Amino acid sequence: MKHCFQLHDRLWVSAGSRMRERSCNGGGGASRNSVIVLRVVPNVLTPFMKRHQVTIIDIARQLNLSKSTVSRALTGHASVKEETRQAVLTLARALDYQRNMLAINLSSSQSKTIGIIVPEFVTSFFPVVIMGAQEIADQAGYTVLICQSNESYETEVANARAMLANRVDGVLVSLTRETRNFDHLAVFQRKAIPLVFFNRICYDIDVPKVVVDDYEGAFKATEHLIQVGKRRIAHLAGPMSLYISRKRLEGYKDALRKHNLPIIDDLIISYDLNLDRAKIYVNYLLDLPEPPDALFAVNDPTALEALKIIKAQGLSVPDQIAVVGFSNDYGSSLIEPGLTTIAQPTRDIGRVAAQLLLEQIDSETTSWKPITRVLKTELIVRGSTVKP
Amino acid sequence: MKHCFQLHDRLWVSAGSRMRERSCNGGGGASRNSVIVLRVVPNVLTPFMKRHQVTIIDIARQLNLSKSTVSRALTGHASVKEETRQAVLTLARALDYQRNMLAINLSSSQSKTIGIIVPEFVTSFFPVVIMGAQEIADQAGYTVLICQSNESYETEVANARAMLANRVDGVLVSLTRETRNFDHLAVFQRKAIPLVFFNRICYDIDVPKVVVDDYEGAFKATEHLIQVGKRRIAHLAGPMSLYISRKRLEGYKDALRKHNLPIIDDLIISYDLNLDRAKIYVNYLLDLPEPPDALFAVNDPTALEALKIIKAQGLSVPDQIAVVGFSNDYGSSLIEPGLTTIAQPTRDIGRVAAQLLLEQIDSETTSWKPITRVLKTELIVRGSTVKP
DNA sequence: CTGTTAGCGCCTTCAG
DNA sequence: CTGAAGGCGCTAACAG
């Protein structure tokens, strides 16, 4: 109920800087007409006149009501005479009145806002996650505050602060590739502000997490390569500080073990996800005396980059070298040959994470449980591993 | 100065829902020690105890100071004894005190937030614009509130409302493909809240705009096709409600005119940017008795889609049909052959738009000028028009 | 049904 | 240098 209302009847009052001002008023007295009159009134309270958004007081004065009544009418309180409610609503519309969430939030001590901190949003993965989260948040009447850390720890810390300062009711976080210290996030826990990790999670903080089964995904990816006949499978892994990198590495190794293939350290490279470096490592692998006949990359951008280099070198894909990525990003169906990859239920990740967060927001702190929700992945086979 | 401060010293207080509570206090009396003590105190003011974030009052009590002094110390006011300032700062840190922007914004009547409304952010264009805008906003100490309309007019209206309700100090807007009514945006003007359009602009509202030279870009694209020998050039245009679609169409036509080529109506299709429809139209074009020998698409996603279909039909690119897009999206260098396209200074669009917005925010309403900043485009030639 | 009072957390005069 | 008081806009008791 309330949520619906908030979505549609939101009014706003944003205030301004130092600008001249047009203030509306109803001249105390007898004015009870429904014709709206705007008069220029000096704002005696401040030395500099400032922009003034219409408030419930403006409405109250013009209608000769108390602000409480106006407030009640606006919030859809039952105990307001239909007639006055209409009067208020009409005038409010005429004046372009918008509720001031700043004030509402301050007095209600909650912002009806959830924050999302992502490392980047240029590849399609995070935007889609965000859309999923937004979908759920919207339904519940929450606004979403998005911050991207630009893969920088510093920025992530600043973002966390901004979230705190803006009093978000909860936060969804996916770490940057360089985050190793989690104090800035532990704060949320200490302050009992719901926090949910997704994708790039951290196990040092005991809160709900939403991930895909990275281990199994990597396992499937690797096994697929083995099944198409590959034996020297390289793995371009992410930084070991990221849990998902470790899991994917494990899956990769276990798949090799299961099929009695050796784990060759030279074919395993952990890197910081900076694509410029990826190039270097791919070239290194290709130049090996005994180059790999397949590459499993920690994510699609990396795999795509590798594929480009491999093609540029004139190697045949998948014959000489096959490639598998992880995520099923936008580009993987565009490149040629298409990139075989592990699809994640991206939008669901956002949905589930938001759901978990809202559940926490709506419940007693004491009942919070650090559930980890593991979503399923799916192998998408394309030309980079199997000829059409 | 102040901006830097805001960025780094932002504190937060978000408040909670109905949860048990831990409140800190300094027991009025003699406690002036610097050892921080947290005591559980019942919150007598509310029937249900609620989560309580530490406020300047908590600090004031523990230090036996007035909240004014604490406030001054925290804001870096000169007139505070160095000693007390230190005490305050230290305790604040120890308590994890975070300023409550909600309160600050309310009393200062400005939110230090700028809103950005984009139609979508799954293709790489808008995310990059946003990053550019964020870069400028950050420098100026502004937070960015991002809303995406999902190409839906309804959602755009709701987003505009949300911006108003949250009292953003200004808004950056790029329209959805279906927006034809602009009342929801005119409100900003009426309320004297700075508004800047970018990319998908609207000329009905007299505010600053940031665009690329769509006309010239389209002209260059078309002329390029002519120069590589194409004569029957089709144009898959965007909806005519969008200014940029009209401009691109114009550029296309004028290029044909300049080179004395006929403008063939059958080869010009305006569509709603829904990629599913793009497929239909591309097929229609290819099935024409006299099919085009080139296609200029209104944007890269459309061109990419066309390229896929063309390839699937086994036509040779660029010999039988050449393709040009617009934007230089992420995917255009991935697809094979690479997509020739008109590159936009995407990040700059965001930067410039944010700059324009901040300028308006910082100036008198009366001095606002509806400047239109036109940025340059660049033709990027790839395999879709010229053989490597 | 409606008016009055108080308070959300902070900053900003106005007085010491 | 510091304290007291008032107000930002709104909602929530508490009286009529």
Side-chain angles (χ1 to χ4, degrees), chain A residues 3-147:
Chain A
H3 291 160
C4 290
F5 178 78
Q6 290 217 355
L7 270 178
H8 301 298
D9 265 82
R10 236 174 215 162
L11 314 169
W12 110 310
V13 186
S14 161
S17 357
R18 334 84 229 190
M19 331 213 148
R20 282 302 158 64
E21 211 358 47
R22 198 188 68 181
S23 158
C24 54
N25 122 331
S31 74
R32 192 178 299 197
N33 48 10
S34 52
V35 180
I36 290 78
V37 197
L38 295 176
R39 284 191 245 152
V40 177
V41 199
N43 184 341
V44 264
L45 301 170
T46 39
F48 296 89
M49 312 208 262
K50 28 191 341 194
R51 207 185 293 165
H52 173 249
Q53 301 288 345
V54 6
T55 73
I56 50 172
I57 297 200
D58 296 315
I59 297 181
R61 275 202 290 246
Q62 291 205 28
L63 260 25
N64 242 325
L65 288 170
S66 75
K67 58 176 186 169
S68 318
T69 305
V70 175
S71 168
R72 282 188 280 251
L74 254 18
T75 17
H77 233 265
S79 61
V80 179
K81 210 199 302 169
E82 186 53 29
E83 199 184 318
T84 59
R85 174 201 310 298
Q86 284 311 326
V88 170
L89 258 31
T90 309
L91 183 55
R93 196 149 319 151
L95 291 175
D96 270 336
Y97 168 80
Q98 297 281 346
R99 299 162 73 197
N100 187 337
M101 291 309 287
L102 259 34
I104 295 178
N105 294 337
L106 177 60
S107 70
S108 70
S109 284
Q110 55 166 57
S111 62
K112 277 289 178 188
T113 298
I114 66 172
I116 305 187
I117 302 181
V118 294
E120 52 94 9
F121 51 38
V122 175
T123 60
S124 61
F125 180 77
F126 288 107
V128 176
V129 172
I130 292 173
M131 288 173 66
Q134 209 154 33
E135 183 187 324
I136 303 299
D138 279 355
Q139 282 169 22
Y142 279 78
T143 301
V144 171
L145 186 59
I146 304 165
C147 284

Side-chain angles (χ1 to χ4, degrees), chain B residues 221-251:
Chain B
T222 310
E223 191 161 52
H224 168 68
L225 285 169
I226 297 171
Q227 279 160 356
V228 299
K230 301 302 183 182
R231 289 297 172 267
R232 281 182 68 79
I233 303 171
H235 179 37
L236 197 38
M240 287 305 115
S241 56
L242 287 182
Y243 186 77
I244 79 179
S245 306
R246 300 201 297 273
K247 278 311 193 189
R248 290 179 191 178
L249 174 59
E250 264 182 48

Side-chain angles (χ1 to χ4, degrees), chain A residues 12-15 17 19 51 96 98 101 109 163-165 167-168 190-193 311 336 363 365, chain B residues 11-15 19 51 96 98 101 109 163-165 167-168 190-193 311 336 361 363 365:
Chain A
W12 110 310
V13 186
S14 161
S17 357
M19 331 213 148
R51 207 185 293 165
D96 270 336
Q98 297 281 346
M101 291 309 287
S109 284
M163 296 280 169
L164 287 171
R167 297 296 188 276
V168 295
R190 252 179 283 140
K191 289 185 182 288
I193 294 156
K311 284 164 61 180
E336 198 161 310
S363 65
T365 313
Chain B
L11 315 168
W12 112 310
V13 186
S14 160
M19 330 212 146
R51 206 184 294 164
D96 269 335
Q98 298 279 345
M101 291 310 287
S109 284
M163 295 281 170
L164 287 171
R167 296 297 187 275
V168 294
R190 252 179 283 140
K191 290 185 181 287
I193 295 155
K311 284 163 62 180
E336 195 159 313
I361 293 177
S363 65
T365 313

Side-chain angles (χ1 to χ4, degrees), chain B residues 297-315:
Chain B
V298 66
N299 62 19
D300 271 12
T302 304
L304 257 16
E305 201 60 39
L307 214 41
K308 279 199 221 173
I309 295 173
I310 291 168
K311 284 163 62 180
Q313 296 217 359
L315 296 171

Side-chain angles (χ1 to χ4, degrees), chain A residues 171-196:
Chain A
V171 202
L172 257 31
V173 178
S174 196
L175 303 171
T176 76
R177 63 188 178 208
E178 58 181 45
T179 305
R180 273 137 220 243
N181 179 309
F182 309 105
D183 292 347
H184 56 126
L185 298 172
V187 181
F188 289 95
Q189 259 208 136
R190 252 179 283 140
K191 289 185 182 288
I193 294 156
L195 174 64
V196 172

Side-chain angles (χ1 to χ4, degrees), chain B residues 172-183:
Chain B
L172 258 31
V173 178
S174 196
L175 302 170
T176 75
R177 63 188 178 207
E178 57 181 45
T179 305
R180 271 137 221 243
N181 178 309
F182 309 105
D183 292 348

